């Protein structure tokens, strides 16, 4: 039996050797760096800090670093308890490395939260020296009944001589976690570069004010240019007819009265509208209310209160809305009379 690679025919055994050699070469790029007491099994110093590690911060109330049972594989783990929202606490260790260009490092740790959400505010940080560049990852998603691996990856500056790993809490939240099995390796695939910054925003310059559509045609070219929208329930039929009559007296043209569930009343609007009611009594008003184009409901304008107000060009197509609103029937009737009086005044 033979295996074909490219245009060459090679025996199976030789092909296997080539493949194994390639795999070994690929794996050779990952190098684990020695960490002192990575699983916290090697005792503590006189201050209770795990051997090989140093205390970070730790000045505050209700702070604790303690090696406990219950780690990964039933071993030991480090408990980091921060009960002081104004303080920070944790441990760190410096790992010497040889300067090398284009090398990325990955630091990992196993984490378990002591309570639901108690990983928030705790982190693993990897910091390079002497540059001070760093990357960190939060333990906010740590589970409570098992350990979960967290890792942070970053390309090291070419002058890097040591990598410092922090396992620590921020001021603010009050996290409580167990950490175990810390590991540092080099030669990993570096993270992708950050996206380029967005282009600088340039404010547009306008030499001419756009048409604000401040006038609303009721009749145009001898035809109706507006529709009166009343609830299908019939609650505002009389005010709607009063407005229709006022337009007839002004123009001689009968504009249609349509129900709020008709296609002519749909939003986005298809033409100029006179809309009666509030968001609870008129579907058109309700749709515009949800889009923040009006505030007409059972609380505003209140008992017997009335509103006559225009909404100019909400959808950029030159179509307007005239609201004839109120929180109750009395208010809508009063608003209709206001509009009728304005129509009569226009005849003078």
């Amino acid at each position: 039996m033979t295996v074909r690679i490219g245009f060459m025919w090679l025996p199976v055994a030789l092909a296997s050797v080539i493949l194994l050699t390639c795999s070994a070469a690929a794996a050779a790029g990952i190098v684990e760096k020695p960490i002192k007491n990575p699983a916290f099994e090697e005792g503590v110093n006189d201050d209770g800090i795990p051997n090989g590690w140093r205390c970070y911060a730790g000045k505050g109330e209700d702070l604790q670093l303690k090696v406990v049972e219950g780690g990964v594989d039933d071993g030991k783990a480090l408990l980091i308890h921060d009960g002081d929202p104004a303080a920070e606490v944790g441990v760190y260790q410096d790992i010497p490395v040889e300067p090398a260009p284009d090398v990325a490092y990955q630091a990992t740790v196993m984490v378990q939260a002591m309570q639901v959400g108690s990983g928030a505010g705790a982190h693993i940080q990897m910091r390079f020296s002497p540059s001070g560049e760093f990357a960190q990852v939060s333990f906010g998603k740590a589970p409570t009944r098992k350990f979960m691996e967290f890792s942070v990856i970053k390309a090291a500056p070419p002058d890097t001589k040591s990598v410092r790993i922090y396992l620590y809490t921020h001021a603010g939240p009050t996290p409580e976690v167990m950490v175990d099995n810390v590991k540092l390796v080099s030669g990993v695939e570096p993270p992708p570069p950050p996206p380029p910054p967005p282009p600088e925003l340039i404010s547009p310059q306008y030499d001419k004010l756009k048409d604000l559509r401040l006038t609303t045609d009721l009749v145009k070219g001898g035809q109706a240019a507006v529709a009166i929208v009343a609830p299908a329930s019939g609650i505002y039929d009389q005010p709607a007819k009063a407005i229709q009559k006022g337009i007839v007296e002004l123009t001689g043209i009968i504009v249609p009265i349509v129900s709020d569930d008709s296609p002519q009343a749909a939003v986005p609007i298809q033409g100029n509208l006179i809309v009666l009611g509030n968001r609870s009594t008129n579907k058109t008003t309700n749709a515009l209310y949800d889009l923040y184009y009006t505030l007409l409901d059972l609380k505003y304008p209140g008992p017997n209160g009335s509103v006559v107000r225009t909404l100019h060009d909400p959808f950029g197509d030159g179509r307007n809305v005239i609201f004839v609103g109120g929180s109750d029937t009395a208010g809508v009737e009063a608003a209709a009379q206001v509009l009728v009086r304005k129509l009569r005044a226009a005849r003078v």
Side-chain angles (χ1 to χ4, degrees), residues 211-217 272 312 318 320:
D211 186 355
L212 299 180
R213 310 290 184 180
L214 297 181
T215 59
T216 304
D217 291 330
N272 294 334
H312 300 278
N320 294 349

Side-chain angles (χ1 to χ4, degrees), residues 56 91-92 123-127 164-168:
Y56 166 75
V91 295
Y92 69 92
H123 308 263
I124 178 173
Q125 182 185 115
M126 181 170 60
R127 182 180 291 266
R164 176 173 290 187
I165 296 177
Y166 288 94
L167 305 169
Y168 80 108

Side-chain angles (χ1 to χ4, degrees), residues 227-236 240 257-262 264-267 273-290 294 296-298 321-326 332:
I228 302 170
V229 181
S233 65
I235 187 174
Y236 305 137
I257 298 175
V258 301
S259 65
D260 62 347
D261 57 4
S262 66
Q264 299 97 312
V267 173
L273 300 178
I274 299 174
V275 185
L276 284 76
N278 58 65
R279 74 163 307 183
S280 297
T281 58
N282 192 305
K283 293 180 179 179
T284 305
T285 304
N286 183 62
L288 294 168
Y289 186 105
D290 287 342
T294 187
L296 280 170
D297 51 33
L298 298 178
V321 178
I322 300 174
F323 292 107
V324 179
V332 175

